[in-house]
Coordinates of all heavy atoms in Angstrom, one line a residue:
Chain K
D369 N 0.9 -1.1 1.8 CA 2.2 -0.4 2.1 C 2.7 -0.9 3.5 O 2.5 -0.3 4.5 CB 1.8 1.1 2.2 CG 3.1 2.0 1.9 OD1 4.2 1.4 1.7 OD2 3.0 3.2 2.0
T371 N 5.5 -1.8 5.4 CA 7.0 -1.8 5.7 C 7.2 -1.8 7.2 O 8.4 -1.7 7.7 CB 7.6 -0.6 5.1 OG1 7.0 0.6 5.5 CG2 7.6 -0.7 3.6
L464 N 24.1 6.2 15.8 CA 23.4 7.0 16.8 C 22.1 6.3 17.3 O 21.4 5.7 16.6 CB 23.0 8.3 16.1 CG 23.7 9.7 16.5 CD1 25.2 9.5 16.9 CD2 23.7 10.6 15.3
W524 N 13.1 16.8 6.2 CA 13.2 15.5 5.6 C 14.4 15.3 4.7 O 14.6 14.2 4.2 CB 11.9 15.2 4.9 CG 10.8 15.1 5.9 CD1 9.9 16.1 6.2 CD2 10.5 14.0 6.8 NE1 9.1 15.7 7.2 CE2 9.4 14.4 7.6 CE3 11.1 12.8 7.0 CZ2 8.9 13.6 8.7 CZ3 10.6 12.0 8.1 CH2 9.5 12.4 8.8
R532 N 15.7 0.6 9.3 CA 15.9 0.4 10.7 C 15.9 -1.1 11.0 O 15.4 -1.9 10.2 CB 14.8 1.2 11.5 CG 13.5 0.6 11.6 CD 12.6 0.8 10.3 NE 11.2 1.0 10.7 CZ 10.2 1.0 9.8 NH1 10.5 0.9 8.5 NH2 9.0 1.2 10.2
R534 N 14.6 -4.2 13.0 CA 13.4 -4.7 13.7 C 13.4 -6.2 13.6 O 13.0 -6.8 12.6 CB 12.1 -4.2 13.0 CG 11.7 -2.8 13.3 CD 10.6 -2.7 14.3 NE 10.1 -1.4 14.3 CZ 10.8 -0.3 14.7 NH1 12.1 -0.4 15.0 NH2 10.2 0.9 14.6
T657 N -9.2 19.2 -3.8 CA -8.4 20.4 -3.8 C -7.2 20.3 -2.8 O -7.0 19.3 -2.2 CB -9.2 21.6 -3.3 OG1 -9.6 21.4 -2.0 CG2 -10.5 21.8 -4.1
R682 N -40.4 0.3 -0.6 CA -41.1 0.8 0.6 C -41.8 -0.3 1.3 O -42.3 -1.2 0.7 CB -42.2 1.9 0.1 CG -41.7 2.9 -0.9 CD -40.7 3.9 -0.3 NE -39.6 4.0 -1.2 CZ -39.1 5.1 -1.7 NH1 -39.6 6.3 -1.5 NH2 -38.0 5.1 -2.5
K741 N -50.3 23.0 14.2 CA -49.8 22.4 13.0 C -49.5 20.9 13.1 O -48.7 20.4 12.3 CB -48.5 23.2 12.5 CG -48.9 24.6 12.1 CD -47.7 25.2 11.3 CE -47.2 26.5 11.9 NZ -46.0 27.0 11.3
F743 N -50.4 17.4 12.3 CA -51.4 16.9 11.3 C -51.9 15.5 11.6 O -52.6 14.9 10.8 CB -50.7 16.8 9.9 CG -50.2 18.1 9.3 CD1 -49.2 18.1 8.3 CD2 -50.6 19.3 9.8 CE1 -48.7 19.3 7.8 CE2 -50.1 20.5 9.3 CZ -49.2 20.5 8.3
Q859 N -37.3 1.2 2.6 CA -37.7 2.4 3.3 C -38.9 2.0 4.1 O -39.9 1.5 3.6 CB -38.1 3.5 2.3 CG -38.5 4.8 3.1 CD -39.2 5.8 2.3 OE1 -40.4 6.0 2.4 NE2 -38.5 6.5 1.4
R862 N -42.2 6.8 6.1 CA -42.2 7.9 7.1 C -41.2 7.8 8.1 O -41.0 8.6 9.0 CB -43.6 8.1 7.7 CG -44.7 8.3 6.7 CD -45.8 9.2 7.2 NE -46.3 8.7 8.4 CZ -46.4 9.4 9.6 NH1 -46.2 10.7 9.5 NH2 -46.8 8.8 10.7
Chain B
rU35 P -13.1 22.4 -0.8 OP1 -12.1 21.4 -1.0 OP2 -12.7 23.7 -0.3 O5' -14.0 22.6 -2.1 C5' -13.9 21.6 -3.2 C4' -14.8 22.0 -4.3 O4' -16.0 22.6 -3.7 C3' -14.3 22.9 -5.3 O3' -13.6 22.2 -6.3 C2' -15.6 23.4 -5.9 O2' -16.2 22.5 -6.8 C1' -16.5 23.5 -4.7 N1 -16.6 24.9 -4.1 C2 -17.3 25.8 -4.8 O2 -18.0 25.5 -5.8 N3 -17.3 27.1 -4.2 C4 -16.7 27.5 -3.1 O4 -16.8 28.7 -2.8 C5 -15.8 26.5 -2.5 C6 -15.8 25.3 -3.0
rC55 P -52.9 13.5 -2.1 OP1 -53.7 13.2 -3.4 OP2 -53.1 14.8 -1.4 O5' -53.0 12.3 -1.1 C5' -52.7 12.5 0.2 C4' -52.0 11.2 0.7 O4' -52.9 10.2 0.9 C3' -50.9 10.7 -0.3 O3' -49.8 10.2 0.5 C2' -51.6 9.4 -0.9 O2' -50.8 8.4 -1.3 C1' -52.5 9.0 0.3 N1 -53.6 8.1 0.0 C2 -53.6 6.8 0.5 O2 -52.6 6.4 1.2 N3 -54.6 6.0 0.2 C4 -55.6 6.4 -0.5 N4 -56.6 5.5 -0.7 C5 -55.7 7.7 -1.0 C6 -54.7 8.5 -0.7
rU56 P -48.4 11.0 0.4 OP1 -48.7 12.3 1.0 OP2 -47.8 10.9 -1.0 O5' -47.5 10.2 1.4 C5' -48.0 9.8 2.6 C4' -46.9 9.7 3.6 O4' -46.0 8.7 3.2 C3' -46.1 11.1 3.7 O3' -45.7 11.2 5.1 C2' -44.9 10.8 2.9 O2' -43.8 11.6 3.2 C1' -44.7 9.3 3.1 N1 -44.0 8.7 2.0 C2 -42.8 8.0 2.3 O2 -42.4 7.9 3.5 N3 -42.2 7.4 1.3 C4 -42.6 7.5 -0.1 O4 -41.9 6.9 -0.9 C5 -43.8 8.2 -0.3 C6 -44.4 8.8 0.7
rG57 P -46.3 12.4 5.9 OP1 -46.1 11.9 7.3 OP2 -47.6 12.9 5.5 O5' -45.3 13.6 5.8 C5' -45.4 14.5 4.7 C4' -44.7 15.8 5.1 O4' -45.4 16.4 6.2 C3' -43.2 15.6 5.5 O3' -42.4 16.7 5.2 C2' -43.4 15.5 7.0 O2' -42.2 15.8 7.8 C1' -44.5 16.5 7.3 N9 -45.3 16.2 8.5 C8 -45.5 15.0 9.1 N7 -46.3 15.2 10.2 C5 -46.5 16.5 10.3 C6 -47.2 17.3 11.2 O6 -47.8 16.9 12.2 N1 -47.2 18.6 10.9 C2 -46.6 19.2 9.8 N2 -46.7 20.5 9.7 N3 -45.9 18.5 8.9 C4 -45.9 17.2 9.2
rG58 P -41.6 16.7 3.8 OP1 -40.5 17.7 4.1 OP2 -42.7 17.0 2.8 O5' -41.1 15.3 3.6 C5' -40.0 14.7 4.3 C4' -39.5 13.5 3.6 O4' -40.6 12.6 3.5 C3' -39.0 13.7 2.2 O3' -37.6 14.2 2.2 C2' -39.1 12.3 1.6 O2' -38.1 11.5 2.0 C1' -40.4 11.9 2.2 N9 -41.6 12.3 1.4 C8 -42.5 13.2 1.6 N7 -43.4 13.4 0.6 C5 -43.0 12.4 -0.3 C6 -43.5 12.1 -1.6 O6 -44.5 12.6 -2.2 N1 -42.8 11.1 -2.2 C2 -41.6 10.5 -1.7 N2 -41.1 9.5 -2.4 N3 -41.1 10.8 -0.5 C4 -41.8 11.7 0.1
rA59 P -37.1 15.2 1.1 OP1 -35.7 15.2 1.2 OP2 -37.9 16.4 1.2 O5' -37.6 14.5 -0.3 C5' -36.8 13.4 -0.8 C4' -37.5 12.9 -2.1 O4' -38.9 12.6 -1.8 C3' -37.6 14.0 -3.2 O3' -36.4 14.0 -3.9 C2' -38.7 13.4 -4.0 O2' -38.3 12.3 -4.8 C1' -39.7 12.9 -2.9 N9 -40.6 14.0 -2.5 C8 -40.6 14.7 -1.4 N7 -41.6 15.6 -1.3 C5 -42.3 15.4 -2.5 C6 -43.4 16.1 -3.0 N6 -44.1 17.0 -2.4 N1 -43.8 15.7 -4.2 C2 -43.2 14.7 -4.8 N3 -42.1 14.0 -4.5 C4 -41.7 14.4 -3.2
rC91 P 2.2 17.4 10.9 OP1 2.0 16.0 11.2 OP2 1.9 18.4 12.0 O5' 3.6 17.7 10.4 C5' 4.2 16.9 9.4 C4' 5.5 17.3 9.0 O4' 5.5 18.7 8.5 C3' 6.5 17.5 10.2 O3' 7.1 16.2 10.5 C2' 7.5 18.5 9.6 O2' 8.4 17.8 8.8 C1' 6.6 19.4 8.8 N1 6.3 20.6 9.6 C2 7.2 21.7 9.5 O2 8.2 21.6 8.8 N3 6.9 22.8 10.2 C4 5.8 22.9 10.9 N4 5.6 24.1 11.5 C5 4.9 21.8 10.9 C6 5.1 20.7 10.3
rA92 P 7.2 15.7 12.0 OP1 7.3 14.3 12.0 OP2 6.1 16.4 12.8 O5' 8.5 16.4 12.5 C5' 9.8 15.9 11.9 C4' 10.9 16.3 12.8 O4' 11.0 17.8 12.8 C3' 10.8 15.9 14.2 O3' 11.3 14.6 14.4 C2' 11.7 16.9 14.9 O2' 13.1 16.6 14.7 C1' 11.4 18.2 14.1 N9 10.4 19.0 14.7 C8 9.1 19.1 14.4 N7 8.3 19.9 15.1 C5 9.3 20.4 16.0 C6 9.2 21.4 17.0 N6 8.0 22.0 17.3 N1 10.3 21.7 17.7 C2 11.5 21.1 17.3 N3 11.7 20.2 16.4 C4 10.5 19.9 15.7
rG93 P 10.7 13.8 15.7 OP1 10.0 14.7 16.6 OP2 11.8 12.9 16.1 O5' 9.6 12.8 15.0 C5' 10.0 12.0 13.8 C4' 10.4 10.7 14.3 O4' 9.3 10.1 15.0 C3' 10.8 9.7 13.2 O3' 11.7 8.8 13.7 C2' 9.5 9.0 13.0 O2' 9.7 7.7 12.4 C1' 9.0 8.8 14.4 N9 7.6 8.6 14.6 C8 7.0 7.4 15.0 N7 5.7 7.4 15.1 C5 5.4 8.7 14.6 C6 4.2 9.3 14.4 O6 3.0 8.8 14.7 N1 4.3 10.6 14.0 C2 5.5 11.2 13.7 N2 5.4 12.4 13.2 N3 6.6 10.7 13.8 C4 6.5 9.4 14.3
rC94 P 13.2 9.0 13.4 OP1 13.9 9.4 14.6 OP2 13.3 9.8 12.1 O5' 13.6 7.5 13.1 C5' 13.1 6.8 12.0 C4' 13.0 5.4 12.2 O4' 14.3 4.9 12.6 C3' 12.1 5.0 13.4 O3' 11.5 3.8 13.1 C2' 13.1 4.8 14.6 O2' 12.6 3.9 15.5 C1' 14.2 4.2 13.8 N1 15.5 4.4 14.5 C2 16.2 3.2 15.0 O2 15.6 2.2 14.9 N3 17.4 3.4 15.6 C4 17.9 4.6 15.7 N4 19.1 4.6 16.2 C5 17.3 5.7 15.1 C6 16.1 5.6 14.5
rC95 P 9.9 3.5 13.5 OP1 9.8 3.4 14.9 OP2 9.6 2.3 12.6 O5' 9.1 4.8 12.9 C5' 8.6 4.8 11.7 C4' 7.2 4.4 11.7 O4' 6.4 5.4 12.4 C3' 6.5 4.4 10.4 O3' 6.7 3.2 9.7 C2' 5.0 4.6 10.8 O2' 4.5 3.4 11.2 C1' 5.1 5.5 11.9 N1 4.9 7.0 11.6 C2 3.6 7.4 11.4 O2 2.7 6.6 11.6 N3 3.3 8.7 11.1 C4 4.4 9.5 10.9 N4 4.1 10.8 10.6 C5 5.7 9.1 11.1 C6 5.9 7.8 11.4
rA96 P 7.1 3.2 8.1 OP1 7.4 1.8 7.8 OP2 8.0 4.3 7.9 O5' 5.7 3.6 7.4 C5' 4.6 2.8 7.5 C4' 3.4 3.5 7.1 O4' 3.2 4.7 8.0 C3' 3.4 4.2 5.7 O3' 3.1 3.2 4.7 C2' 2.5 5.3 5.8 O2' 1.2 4.9 5.7 C1' 2.7 5.8 7.2 N9 3.7 6.9 7.3 C8 5.1 6.7 7.4 N7 5.7 7.9 7.5 C5 4.7 8.8 7.4 C6 4.8 10.2 7.5 N6 5.9 11.0 7.6 N1 3.6 10.9 7.4 C2 2.4 10.2 7.3 N3 2.3 8.8 7.3 C4 3.5 8.2 7.4

Side-chain angles (χ1 to χ4, degrees):
Chain K
D369 204 1
T371 57
L464 253 24
W524 294 101
R532 78 285 215 185
R534 283 258 192 297
T657 66
R682 314 290 131 127
K741 291 197 236 170
F743 301 161
Q859 182 196 105
R862 301 209 310 128

